[in-house]
C-alpha cells in the first residue's frame, strides 16, 4: 500500500516532523537525543519521526543534510 509522506518544519520552534500516511492519534517516544519516533496509539506502529533542534544540528553545513543518529522503519 502506498502512503503519502508529510514533512512539517516549524522554524520558530526549530522542529522537524516527517510522517507517513494519514494522521491518527499517537504519541512520541524518545529514541535519541533530540530525536523521537511517532507511534500510532491504536496499532503501535511507528508512523513518523521528529527532530528538535534541527537547525542547530546542521548549522555548520552549507546544505541542509542530516545523517540521523538512528535507523528507523516506518510502518503503515
Amino acid at each position: 500500500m502506498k502512503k503519502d509522506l508529510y514533512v512539517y518544519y516549524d522554524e520558530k520552534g526549530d522542529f522537524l516532523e516527517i510522517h507517513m500516511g494519514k494522521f491518527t492519534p499517537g504519541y512520541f517516544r524518545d529514541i535519541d537525543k533530540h530525536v523521537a519516533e511517532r507511534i500510532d496509539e491504536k496499532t503501535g506502529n511507528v508512523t513518523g519521526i521528529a527532530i528538535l533542534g534541527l537547525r542547530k544540528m546542521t548549522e555548520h553545513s552549507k546544505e541542509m543534510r542530516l545523517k540521523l543518529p538512528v535507523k528507523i522503519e516506518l510502518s503503515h
Side-chain angles (χ1 to χ4, degrees), residues 1-14:
M1 177 185 285
K2 202 172 192 181
K3 297 282 184 177
D4 291 330
L5 187 67
Y6 297 93
V7 178
Y8 169 76
Y9 180 67
D10 176 353
E11 188 172 356
K12 186 175 181 180
D14 196 19

Side-chain angles (χ1 to χ4, degrees), residues 4-70:
D4 291 330
L5 187 67
Y6 297 93
V7 178
Y8 169 76
Y9 180 67
D10 176 353
E11 188 172 356
K12 186 175 181 180
D14 196 19
F15 174 80
L16 172 72
E17 182 177 358
I18 302 169
H19 186 270
M20 185 178 68
K22 181 180 174 186
F23 278 93
T24 57
Y27 58 93
F28 287 102
R29 178 172 57 202
D30 292 337
I31 55 175
D32 203 278
K33 186 177 181 182
H34 306 288
V35 180
E37 57 189 3
R38 188 173 193 288
I39 309 297
D40 182 285
E41 198 172 85
K42 184 177 179 181
T43 67
N45 290 335
V46 176
T47 58
I49 189 166
I51 303 169
L52 183 60
L54 178 68
R55 185 181 311 117
K56 185 165 181 90
M57 294 172 72
T58 60
E59 69 186 2
H60 300 292
S61 176
K62 290 182 180 180
E63 296 179 5
M64 188 71 130
R65 290 187 182 201
L66 176 66
K67 183 177 179 183
L68 293 177
V70 295

